[in-house]
Amino acid sequence: KCKLTRPKVPLVGQWDGVALGRAAVTLHLTIDDSGHVIRATIDRSSGSRDIDNPIRLESYNWWFEPRRNTAGQLIDTDFPFTVVAFD
C-alpha cells in the first residue's frame, strides 16, 4: 500500500517533458518504520533537472506501508521507485 501525491513540475520542466517524450526518473527511497520517506536520491535521471528535482522533493510527502522483519517488528526499508512524468 502507498499514498502518493502528484509532483508540481514547473512549466520549464513540462517543456522538457514534451521534448524528451517519455520522461521517467528512478529514485532510491528510504522509508522509516512509520512508512515516511526519509531519504530520496536520484538513481536514474529523466534528463531534466526541472523534472527530477520536483519529483524527488515531492517524494518526502509520500507514504508506503512499512515492512516487517521475521519477528514482526517494523523496519526501515530502501528500494528503487520509478516515476513516469510524461508519457
Coordinates of all heavy atoms in Angstrom, one line a residue:
K1 N 0.8 -1.2 0.0 CA 0.0 0.0 0.0 C 0.9 1.2 0.0 O 2.0 1.2 0.5 CB -0.9 0.0 1.2 CG -1.9 -1.1 1.3 CD -2.7 -1.0 2.5 CE -3.7 -2.1 2.6 NZ -4.5 -2.0 3.8
C2 N 0.4 2.3 -0.6 CA 1.1 3.6 -0.6 C 0.1 4.7 -0.8 O -1.0 4.5 -1.3 CB 2.2 3.6 -1.7 SG 1.6 3.4 -3.3
K3 N 0.6 5.9 -0.4 CA -0.2 7.1 -0.6 C 0.8 8.1 -1.3 O 1.8 8.5 -0.7 CB -0.7 7.7 0.7 CG -1.8 6.9 1.3 CD -2.3 7.5 2.6 CE -3.3 6.6 3.2 NZ -3.8 7.1 4.5
L4 N 0.5 8.4 -2.5 CA 1.4 9.3 -3.3 C 0.6 10.6 -3.6 O -0.6 10.6 -3.8 CB 1.8 8.6 -4.6 CG 2.4 7.2 -4.5 CD1 2.6 6.7 -5.9 CD2 3.7 7.3 -3.7
T5 N 1.4 11.7 -3.8 CA 0.9 13.0 -4.2 C 1.6 13.3 -5.5 O 2.7 12.9 -5.8 CB 1.1 14.1 -3.2 OG1 2.4 14.1 -2.8 CG2 0.2 13.8 -2.0
R6 N 0.9 14.0 -6.4 CA 1.4 14.4 -7.7 C 2.4 15.5 -7.6 O 2.1 16.6 -7.0 CB 0.3 14.8 -8.6 CG 0.8 15.1 -10.0 CD -0.4 15.5 -10.9 NE -1.3 14.4 -11.1 CZ -1.2 13.5 -12.1 NH1 -0.2 13.6 -12.9 NH2 -2.0 12.5 -12.2
P7 N 3.6 15.4 -8.1 CA 4.6 16.4 -8.1 C 4.2 17.6 -8.9 O 3.5 17.4 -9.9 CB 5.9 15.8 -8.7 CG 5.6 14.4 -8.7 CD 4.2 14.1 -8.7
K8 N 4.6 18.8 -8.5 CA 4.3 20.0 -9.3 C 5.5 20.4 -10.1 O 6.4 21.0 -9.6 CB 3.9 21.1 -8.3 CG 2.6 20.9 -7.6 CD 2.3 21.8 -6.5 CE 1.1 21.5 -5.7 NZ 1.1 20.2 -5.0
V9 N 5.5 19.9 -11.4 CA 6.6 20.2 -12.3 C 6.4 21.6 -12.9 O 5.3 21.8 -13.5 CB 6.7 19.1 -13.4 CG1 7.8 19.4 -14.4 CG2 6.8 17.7 -12.7
P10 N 7.4 22.5 -12.8 CA 7.2 23.8 -13.4 C 7.1 23.8 -14.9 O 7.4 22.7 -15.5 CB 8.5 24.5 -12.9 CG 9.5 23.4 -12.7 CD 8.7 22.2 -12.2
L11 N 6.7 24.9 -15.5 CA 6.5 24.9 -16.9 C 7.7 24.6 -17.7 O 7.6 23.8 -18.7 CB 6.0 26.4 -17.3 CG 5.5 26.6 -18.7 CD1 4.4 25.6 -19.0 CD2 5.1 28.0 -18.9
V12 N 8.9 25.0 -17.3 CA 10.1 24.6 -18.0 C 10.3 23.1 -18.0 O 10.8 22.5 -18.9 CB 11.3 25.4 -17.4 CG1 11.7 25.0 -16.0 CG2 12.5 25.3 -18.4
G13 N 10.0 22.5 -16.9 CA 10.1 21.0 -16.8 C 9.0 20.3 -17.7 O 9.3 19.3 -18.3
Q14 N 7.9 20.9 -17.8 CA 6.9 20.4 -18.7 C 7.3 20.5 -20.2 O 7.1 19.6 -21.0 CB 5.5 21.1 -18.5 CG 4.9 20.9 -17.2 CD 3.7 21.7 -16.9 OE1 3.0 22.1 -17.8 NE2 3.4 22.0 -15.6
W15 N 8.0 21.6 -20.5 CA 8.5 21.7 -21.9 C 9.6 20.7 -22.1 O 9.6 20.1 -23.2 CB 9.1 23.1 -22.1 CG 8.1 24.2 -22.2 CD1 6.8 24.2 -22.5 CD2 8.4 25.6 -21.9 NE1 6.2 25.4 -22.5 CE2 7.2 26.3 -22.1 CE3 9.5 26.3 -21.4 CZ2 7.0 27.7 -21.9 CZ3 9.4 27.7 -21.2 CH2 8.2 28.3 -21.4
D16 N 10.4 20.5 -21.1 CA 11.4 19.4 -21.2 C 10.8 18.0 -21.4 O 11.2 17.2 -22.2 CB 12.3 19.3 -20.0 CG 13.3 20.5 -19.9 OD1 13.5 21.2 -20.9 OD2 13.9 20.6 -18.8
G17 N 9.7 17.8 -20.7 CA 8.9 16.5 -20.8 C 8.4 16.3 -22.2 O 8.5 15.2 -22.8
V18 N 7.9 17.4 -22.9 CA 7.5 17.3 -24.2 C 8.6 17.0 -25.2 O 8.5 16.1 -26.0 CB 6.8 18.6 -24.7 CG1 6.5 18.6 -26.2 CG2 5.5 18.8 -23.9
A19 N 9.7 17.6 -25.0 CA 10.9 17.4 -25.8 C 11.5 16.0 -25.6 O 12.0 15.4 -26.6 CB 12.0 18.5 -25.5
L20 N 11.5 15.5 -24.4 CA 12.0 14.2 -24.1 C 11.1 13.0 -24.5 O 11.6 11.9 -24.6 CB 12.4 14.1 -22.6 CG 13.5 15.0 -22.1 CD1 13.6 15.0 -20.6 CD2 14.8 14.5 -22.7
G21 N 9.8 13.3 -24.6 CA 8.9 12.3 -24.9 C 8.5 11.6 -23.6 O 7.8 12.1 -22.8
R22 N 9.0 10.4 -23.4 CA 8.7 9.6 -22.1 C 9.8 9.9 -21.1 O 10.8 9.3 -21.1 CB 8.7 8.1 -22.4 CG 8.2 7.3 -21.2 CD 8.1 5.8 -21.6 NE 7.5 5.1 -20.6 CZ 8.1 4.4 -19.7 NH1 9.5 4.4 -19.7 NH2 7.5 3.8 -18.7
A23 N 9.5 10.9 -20.2 CA 10.4 11.3 -19.2 C 10.1 10.5 -17.9 O 9.1 10.6 -17.3 CB 10.3 12.8 -18.9
A24 N 11.1 9.7 -17.5 CA 11.0 8.9 -16.3 C 12.2 9.1 -15.4 O 13.3 9.2 -15.9 CB 10.8 7.4 -16.6
V25 N 12.0 9.2 -14.1 CA 13.1 9.3 -13.1 C 13.0 8.2 -12.2 O 11.9 7.8 -11.7 CB 13.1 10.7 -12.4 CG1 11.8 10.9 -11.7 CG2 14.2 10.8 -11.5
T26 N 14.1 7.5 -11.9 CA 14.1 6.5 -10.9 C 14.8 7.0 -9.6 O 15.9 7.5 -9.6 CB 14.9 5.2 -11.4 OG1 14.2 4.8 -12.6 CG2 14.9 4.1 -10.3
L27 N 14.0 6.9 -8.5 CA 14.5 7.4 -7.2 C 14.9 6.2 -6.4 O 14.4 5.1 -6.6 CB 13.4 8.1 -6.5 CG 12.8 9.4 -7.1 CD1 11.7 9.9 -6.3 CD2 13.9 10.5 -7.3
H28 N 15.9 6.4 -5.5 CA 16.2 5.4 -4.5 C 15.6 5.9 -3.2 O 16.1 7.0 -2.7 CB 17.7 5.1 -4.4 CG 18.0 4.0 -3.5 ND1 18.0 2.7 -3.9 CD2 18.2 3.9 -2.1 CE1 18.2 1.9 -2.9 NE2 18.4 2.6 -1.8
L29 N 14.5 5.3 -2.7 CA 13.8 5.8 -1.5 C 14.2 5.0 -0.3 O 14.3 3.8 -0.3 CB 12.3 5.8 -1.7 CG 11.8 6.5 -2.9 CD1 10.3 6.3 -3.0 CD2 12.1 8.0 -2.8
T30 N 14.3 5.7 0.9 CA 14.4 5.0 2.1 C 13.3 5.5 3.0 O 13.0 6.7 3.1 CB 15.8 5.4 2.9 OG1 16.9 5.1 2.0 CG2 15.9 4.7 4.2
I31 N 12.5 4.5 3.5 CA 11.4 4.9 4.4 C 11.7 4.4 5.8 O 12.4 3.4 6.0 CB 10.1 4.3 3.9 CG1 10.1 2.7 3.9 CG2 9.7 4.8 2.5 CD1 8.8 2.1 3.6
D32 N 11.1 5.1 6.8 CA 11.3 4.7 8.1 C 10.3 3.7 8.6 O 9.4 3.3 7.8 CB 11.4 6.0 9.1 CG 10.1 6.7 9.1 OD1 9.0 6.2 8.6 OD2 10.1 7.9 9.6
D33 N 10.3 3.3 9.8 CA 9.4 2.3 10.3 C 8.0 2.7 10.4 O 7.1 1.9 10.6 CB 9.9 1.7 11.6 CG 9.9 2.7 12.7 OD1 9.6 3.9 12.5 OD2 10.3 2.2 13.9
S34 N 7.7 4.0 10.1 CA 6.3 4.5 10.1 C 5.8 4.7 8.6 O 4.7 5.0 8.4 CB 6.2 5.8 10.8 OG 6.9 6.9 10.2
G35 N 6.7 4.4 7.7 CA 6.3 4.5 6.3 C 6.6 5.8 5.5 O 6.3 5.9 4.4
H36 N 7.2 6.7 6.2 CA 7.5 8.0 5.6 C 8.9 8.0 5.0 O 9.8 7.4 5.5 CB 7.5 9.1 6.7 CG 6.1 9.3 7.2 ND1 5.7 8.7 8.4 CD2 5.0 10.0 6.8 CE1 4.4 9.0 8.6 NE2 4.0 9.8 7.7
V37 N 9.0 8.7 3.8 CA 10.3 8.8 3.1 C 11.2 9.7 3.9 O 10.9 10.8 4.3 CB 10.1 9.4 1.7 CG1 11.4 9.6 1.0 CG2 9.1 8.5 0.9
I38 N 12.4 9.1 4.2 CA 13.4 9.9 5.0 C 14.6 10.3 4.2 O 15.4 11.1 4.5 CB 13.8 9.2 6.3 CG1 14.4 7.8 6.0 CG2 12.6 9.1 7.3 CD1 15.0 7.1 7.2
R39 N 14.7 9.6 3.0 CA 15.8 9.9 2.1 C 15.4 9.6 0.7 O 14.8 8.5 0.4 CB 17.1 9.2 2.4 CG 18.3 9.6 1.6 CD 19.6 9.0 2.0 NE 19.5 7.6 2.3 CZ 19.9 7.0 3.4 NH1 20.3 7.7 4.4 NH2 19.8 5.7 3.6
A40 N 15.7 10.4 -0.3 CA 15.4 10.2 -1.7 C 16.5 10.7 -2.5 O 16.9 11.9 -2.4 CB 14.1 10.9 -2.1
T41 N 17.1 9.8 -3.3 CA 18.2 10.2 -4.2 C 17.8 9.7 -5.6 O 17.0 8.8 -5.8 CB 19.5 9.5 -3.8 OG1 19.4 8.1 -3.7 CG2 20.0 10.0 -2.4
I42 N 18.4 10.4 -6.6 CA 18.1 10.1 -8.0 C 19.1 9.0 -8.4 O 20.3 9.3 -8.5 CB 18.2 11.4 -8.8 CG1 17.1 12.4 -8.4 CG2 18.0 11.0 -10.3 CD1 17.2 13.7 -9.0
D43 N 18.5 7.9 -8.8 CA 19.3 6.8 -9.4 C 19.5 7.0 -10.9 O 20.6 6.7 -11.4 CB 18.7 5.4 -9.1 CG 19.0 4.9 -7.7 OD1 19.9 5.5 -7.0 OD2 18.4 3.9 -7.4
R44 N 18.4 7.3 -11.5 CA 18.4 7.5 -13.0 C 17.6 8.7 -13.3 O 16.4 8.8 -13.0 CB 17.9 6.3 -13.7 CG 18.1 6.4 -15.2 CD 17.7 5.1 -16.0 NE 17.3 4.0 -15.1 CZ 16.2 3.3 -15.3 NH1 15.4 3.5 -16.4 NH2 15.8 2.3 -14.5
S45 N 18.2 9.7 -14.0 CA 17.6 11.0 -14.3 C 16.7 10.8 -15.5 O 16.9 10.0 -16.4 CB 18.7 12.0 -14.6 OG 18.1 13.2 -15.1
S46 N 15.7 11.7 -15.5 CA 14.9 11.8 -16.7 C 15.6 12.5 -17.9 O 15.2 12.4 -19.0 CB 13.6 12.6 -16.4 OG 13.9 13.9 -16.1
G47 N 16.6 13.2 -17.5 CA 17.3 14.1 -18.5 C 17.1 15.5 -18.2 O 17.7 16.4 -18.9
S48 N 16.3 15.8 -17.3 CA 16.0 17.2 -16.9 C 15.9 17.4 -15.4 O 15.1 16.8 -14.7 CB 14.6 17.6 -17.5 OG 14.2 18.9 -17.0
R49 N 16.7 18.4 -14.9 CA 16.7 18.7 -13.5 C 15.3 19.3 -13.1 O 14.9 19.1 -12.0 CB 17.8 19.7 -13.2 CG 19.1 19.1 -13.2 CD 20.1 20.2 -12.7 NE 21.5 19.7 -13.0 CZ 22.5 20.6 -13.2 NH1 22.3 21.9 -13.1 NH2 23.7 20.1 -13.5
D50 N 14.7 20.0 -14.1 CA 13.4 20.6 -13.8 C 12.3 19.6 -13.7 O 11.2 19.9 -13.3 CB 13.1 21.6 -14.9 CG 14.1 22.8 -14.8 OD1 14.2 23.4 -13.7 OD2 14.6 23.1 -15.9
I51 N 12.5 18.4 -14.0 CA 11.6 17.3 -13.8 C 12.0 16.5 -12.6 O 11.2 16.2 -11.7 CB 11.5 16.3 -15.1 CG1 10.9 17.1 -16.2 CG2 10.7 15.1 -14.7 CD1 11.0 16.3 -17.6
D52 N 13.3 16.1 -12.5 CA 13.8 15.3 -11.4 C 13.7 15.9 -10.1 O 13.2 15.2 -9.1 CB 15.3 15.0 -11.7 CG 15.6 14.3 -12.9 OD1 14.7 13.7 -13.5 OD2 16.8 14.2 -13.3
N53 N 14.1 17.2 -9.9 CA 14.1 17.8 -8.6 C 12.7 17.9 -7.9 O 12.5 17.6 -6.8 CB 14.8 19.1 -8.6 CG 16.3 18.9 -8.7 OD1 16.8 17.9 -8.3 ND2 17.0 19.9 -9.2
P54 N 11.6 18.4 -8.7 CA 10.3 18.4 -8.1 C 9.8 17.0 -7.7 O 9.1 16.9 -6.6 CB 9.4 19.0 -9.2 CG 10.4 19.8 -10.1 CD 11.6 19.0 -10.0
I55 N 10.1 16.0 -8.5 CA 9.6 14.7 -8.1 C 10.4 14.2 -6.9 O 9.7 13.6 -6.0 CB 9.9 13.7 -9.3 CG1 8.9 14.1 -10.4 CG2 9.7 12.3 -8.9 CD1 9.1 13.3 -11.7
R56 N 11.7 14.4 -6.8 CA 12.4 14.0 -5.6 C 11.9 14.7 -4.4 O 11.7 14.1 -3.3 CB 13.9 14.3 -5.8 CG 14.8 13.7 -4.6 CD 16.2 14.1 -4.8 NE 16.4 15.5 -4.7 CZ 16.5 16.2 -3.5 NH1 16.3 15.5 -2.4 NH2 16.7 17.5 -3.5
L57 N 11.7 16.0 -4.5 CA 11.2 16.8 -3.3 C 9.8 16.3 -2.9 O 9.5 16.2 -1.7 CB 11.2 18.3 -3.6 CG 12.6 18.9 -3.7 CD1 12.6 20.3 -4.2 CD2 13.4 18.7 -2.4
E58 N 8.9 16.0 -3.8 CA 7.6 15.6 -3.5 C 7.6 14.2 -2.9 O 6.7 13.9 -2.1 CB 6.7 15.6 -4.8 CG 5.2 15.4 -4.5 CD 4.6 16.4 -3.7 OE1 5.0 17.6 -3.7 OE2 3.6 16.1 -2.9
S59 N 8.5 13.4 -3.1 CA 8.6 12.1 -2.6 C 8.6 12.1 -1.0 O 8.2 11.2 -0.4 CB 9.7 11.3 -3.1 OG 11.0 11.7 -2.6
Y60 N 9.1 13.2 -0.5 CA 9.1 13.3 1.0 C 7.7 13.4 1.6 O 7.5 13.3 2.8 CB 10.0 14.5 1.5 CG 11.5 14.2 1.3 CD1 12.1 14.7 0.2 CD2 12.1 13.4 2.2 CE1 13.5 14.4 0.0 CE2 13.5 13.1 2.0 CZ 14.2 13.6 0.9 OH 15.5 13.3 0.7
N61 N 6.7 13.7 0.8 CA 5.3 13.7 1.2 C 4.6 12.4 1.0 O 3.4 12.2 1.4 CB 4.5 14.8 0.4 CG 5.1 16.2 0.8 OD1 5.3 16.5 1.9 ND2 5.2 17.0 -0.3
W62 N 5.3 11.4 0.4 CA 4.7 10.1 0.2 C 4.7 9.2 1.4 O 5.5 9.4 2.3 CB 5.4 9.4 -1.0 CG 5.3 10.2 -2.3 CD1 4.4 11.2 -2.6 CD2 6.1 10.0 -3.5 NE1 4.7 11.6 -3.9 CE2 5.6 10.9 -4.4 CE3 7.1 9.1 -3.8 CZ2 6.2 11.0 -5.7 CZ3 7.7 9.1 -5.0 CH2 7.2 10.1 -6.0
W63 N 3.8 8.2 1.4 CA 3.8 7.2 2.4 C 3.7 5.8 1.8 O 3.0 5.6 0.8 CB 2.6 7.4 3.3 CG 2.5 6.4 4.4 CD1 3.1 6.4 5.7 CD2 1.8 5.1 4.4 NE1 2.8 5.3 6.4 CE2 2.0 4.5 5.6 CE3 1.0 4.5 3.4 CZ2 1.4 3.3 5.9 CZ3 0.4 3.3 3.7 CH2 0.6 2.7 4.9
F64 N 4.5 4.9 2.3 CA 4.5 3.5 1.9 C 4.3 2.6 3.1 O 4.8 2.9 4.2 CB 5.8 3.1 1.2 CG 6.1 3.8 0.0 CD1 6.7 5.1 0.0 CD2 5.7 3.3 -1.3 CE1 7.0 5.8 -1.2 CE2 6.0 4.0 -2.4 CZ 6.6 5.3 -2.4
E65 N 3.5 1.5 2.9 CA 3.3 0.6 4.1 C 4.7 0.0 4.4 O 5.4 -0.5 3.6 CB 2.4 -0.5 3.7 CG 2.1 -1.4 4.8 CD 1.0 -2.4 4.5 OE1 0.4 -2.4 3.4 OE2 0.7 -3.2 5.4
P66 N 5.1 0.2 5.7 CA 6.4 -0.3 6.1 C 6.5 -1.8 6.2 O 5.5 -2.5 6.3 CB 6.6 0.3 7.5 CG 5.3 0.7 8.0 CD 4.4 0.9 6.8
R67 N 7.7 -2.3 6.0 CA 8.0 -3.7 6.0 C 8.2 -4.2 7.5 O 8.5 -3.4 8.4 CB 9.2 -4.1 5.2 CG 8.9 -3.8 3.7 CD 10.1 -4.2 2.9 NE 10.3 -5.6 3.0 CZ 11.4 -6.3 2.6 NH1 12.3 -5.6 2.1 NH2 11.5 -7.6 2.8
R68 N 8.0 -5.5 7.7 CA 8.3 -6.1 9.0 C 9.4 -7.1 8.8 O 9.5 -7.8 7.8 CB 7.0 -6.7 9.5 CG 5.9 -5.7 9.8 CD 4.7 -6.4 10.3 NE 3.6 -5.4 10.5 CZ 3.4 -4.8 11.7 NH1 4.2 -5.0 12.7 NH2 2.4 -3.9 11.8
N69 N 10.2 -7.3 9.9 CA 11.2 -8.4 9.9 C 10.5 -9.7 10.3 O 9.3 -9.7 10.5 CB 12.4 -8.0 10.8 CG 12.0 -7.9 12.2 OD1 10.9 -8.3 12.7 ND2 12.9 -7.2 13.0
T70 N 11.3 -10.7 10.4 CA 10.7 -12.1 10.7 C 10.1 -12.1 12.1 O 9.2 -12.9 12.3 CB 11.8 -13.1 10.6 OG1 12.9 -12.8 11.4 CG2 12.2 -13.3 9.1
A71 N 10.5 -11.2 13.0 CA 9.9 -11.1 14.3 C 8.6 -10.3 14.3 O 8.0 -10.1 15.4 CB 10.9 -10.6 15.3
G72 N 8.3 -9.7 13.2 CA 7.1 -8.9 13.1 C 7.3 -7.4 13.4 O 6.3 -6.7 13.5
Q73 N 8.5 -7.0 13.7 CA 8.8 -5.6 14.0 C 8.9 -4.8 12.7 O 9.4 -5.3 11.7 CB 10.1 -5.5 14.8 CG 10.1 -6.3 16.1 CD 11.5 -6.4 16.7 OE1 12.4 -6.6 16.0 NE2 11.6 -6.2 18.0
L74 N 8.4 -3.6 12.8 CA 8.5 -2.7 11.7 C 10.0 -2.3 11.5 O 10.7 -2.1 12.4 CB 7.7 -1.4 11.9 CG 6.2 -1.7 12.0 CD1 5.5 -0.4 12.4 CD2 5.6 -2.1 10.7
I75 N 10.4 -2.2 10.2 CA 11.8 -1.9 9.9 C 11.9 -0.8 8.8 O 11.0 -0.6 8.0 CB 12.6 -3.1 9.5 CG1 11.9 -3.8 8.2 CG2 12.7 -4.1 10.6 CD1 12.7 -4.9 7.6
D76 N 13.0 -0.1 8.8 CA 13.4 0.8 7.8 C 13.6 0.0 6.5 O 14.1 -1.1 6.6 CB 14.6 1.7 8.1 CG 14.4 2.7 9.2 OD1 13.3 2.7 9.8 OD2 15.3 3.3 9.6
T77 N 13.2 0.6 5.4 CA 13.4 -0.1 4.1 C 13.9 0.9 3.0 O 13.5 2.0 3.1 CB 12.0 -0.7 3.7 OG1 11.4 -1.4 4.7 CG2 12.1 -1.5 2.4
D78 N 14.6 0.4 2.1 CA 15.0 1.2 0.9 C 14.8 0.4 -0.3 O 14.9 -0.8 -0.3 CB 16.4 1.7 1.0 CG 17.5 0.7 1.1 OD1 17.3 -0.3 1.9 OD2 18.5 0.8 0.4
F79 N 14.4 1.1 -1.4 CA 14.0 0.4 -2.6 C 14.0 1.5 -3.8 O 13.9 2.7 -3.5 CB 12.7 -0.2 -2.5 CG 11.6 0.7 -2.1 CD1 10.8 1.4 -3.0 CD2 11.3 1.0 -0.8 CE1 9.8 2.3 -2.6 CE2 10.3 1.8 -0.4 CZ 9.5 2.5 -1.3
P80 N 14.2 1.0 -5.0 CA 14.0 1.9 -6.2 C 12.6 2.1 -6.5 O 11.7 1.3 -6.3 CB 14.7 1.1 -7.3 CG 14.6 -0.3 -6.9 CD 14.6 -0.3 -5.4
F81 N 12.3 3.3 -7.0 CA 10.9 3.7 -7.4 C 10.9 4.6 -8.6 O 11.6 5.6 -8.6 CB 10.2 4.4 -6.2 CG 8.7 4.6 -6.4 CD1 7.9 3.6 -6.0 CD2 8.2 5.8 -6.8 CE1 6.5 3.8 -6.2 CE2 6.9 6.0 -7.0 CZ 6.0 5.0 -6.7
T82 N 10.3 4.2 -9.7 CA 10.3 4.9 -10.9 C 9.0 5.7 -11.1 O 7.9 5.1 -10.9 CB 10.6 4.0 -12.1 OG1 11.8 3.3 -11.9 CG2 10.6 4.7 -13.4
V83 N 9.2 6.9 -11.5 CA 8.0 7.8 -11.8 C 8.1 8.2 -13.2 O 9.1 8.7 -13.7 CB 8.1 9.1 -10.9 CG1 6.9 10.0 -11.2 CG2 8.0 8.7 -9.4
V84 N 7.1 8.0 -14.0 CA 7.0 8.4 -15.4 C 6.2 9.8 -15.3 O 5.1 9.8 -15.0 CB 6.3 7.4 -16.3 CG1 6.2 7.9 -17.7 CG2 7.0 6.1 -16.2
A85 N 7.0 10.8 -15.6 CA 6.4 12.2 -15.5 C 5.6 12.5 -16.8 O 4.6 13.2 -16.7 CB 7.5 13.2 -15.4
F86 N 6.0 12.1 -17.9 CA 5.3 12.4 -19.1 C 5.4 11.1 -20.0 O 6.4 10.6 -20.2 CB 6.0 13.6 -19.9 CG 6.0 14.8 -19.1 CD1 7.0 15.1 -18.3 CD2 4.9 15.7 -19.1 CE1 7.0 16.3 -17.5 CE2 4.9 16.8 -18.3 CZ 5.9 17.1 -17.5
D87 N 4.3 10.7 -20.5 CA 4.2 9.5 -21.3 C 3.5 9.8 -22.6 O 2.5 10.4 -22.7 CB 3.6 8.4 -20.5 CG 3.9 7.0 -21.1 OD1 4.8 6.9 -22.0 OD2 3.3 6.1 -20.6

